[in-house]
Amino acid sequence: MITSREDGYELSTDPDRLDVGLVHHWLSTDAFWALDRSRETVEQSIRGSLNFAVHDVTGAQVAYARVVTDRSTFAWLCDVYVAPAHRGKGLGTWLAGAVRDHLAPYKLKRVLLSTLDAHEIYSKAGFTPLPNPEHLMILNPAP
């Protein structure tokens, strides 16, 4: 899938357009939830996920997101990252909306994500707070 905006940004799910080295750099050095994540872990997570990349008019990758899903009942949106120079242009909302639209045909029961500070971005794509967060549990929570 490739879609574009009037300002020239393109969103792609083509794995050949994904800059794995850049994604690793972003996550391991600038994403508070993934600091020091190894290249091997990033590569493995990419292989096991649906991947979404945003490219600017030059073709350079400027944003990333991945979805872990069984394509039947459940999906988890994670590792959403927009390069600092491209923030404030609605790319995060566009990316979240594209993920939502891409997953819609699967008629999943749940699509979840976790965010510390981007609630407004995800709410524009239709995400809402969990109605019963006390129903969720976690194994091996990170410190």
Side-chain angles (χ1 to χ4, degrees), residues 13 26 28 64 67 73 79 104-105 107 118 128 138:
T13 57
W26 286 338
S28 67
Y64 173 73
V67 176
T73 62
D79 289 340
K107 297 181 173 43
T128 61
I138 188 169

Side-chain angles (χ1 to χ4, degrees), residues 22-73:
L22 182 60
V23 171
H24 171 253
H25 174 74
W26 286 338
L27 296 178
S28 67
T29 65
D30 193 41
F32 67 86
W33 66 90
L35 293 176
D36 297 322
R37 188 177 288 176
S38 73
R39 169 80 184 232
E40 179 183 350
T41 297
V42 170
E43 289 174 356
Q44 185 174 352
S45 69
I46 287 171
R47 282 192 302 273
S49 303
L50 294 174
N51 298 280
F52 297 78
V54 175
H55 300 85
D56 68 11
V57 294
T58 71
Q61 186 174 332
V62 300
Y64 173 73
R66 70 185 182 90
V67 176
V68 180
T69 184
D70 61 9
R71 294 179 178 91
S72 297
T73 62

Side-chain angles (χ1 to χ4, degrees), residues 33 37 48-50 52 65-71 73-80 99 103 108 110-115 127 130 136-138:
W33 66 90
R37 188 177 288 176
S49 303
L50 294 174
F52 297 78
R66 70 185 182 90
V67 176
V68 180
T69 184
D70 61 9
R71 294 179 178 91
T73 62
F74 177 81
W76 179 265
L77 173 59
C78 54
D79 289 340
V80 179
V99 167
L103 296 175
L108 304 174
R110 280 183 196 85
V111 178
L112 297 178
L113 64 83
S114 176
T115 185
F127 285 87
L130 285 170
L136 292 178
M137 297 182 74
I138 188 169

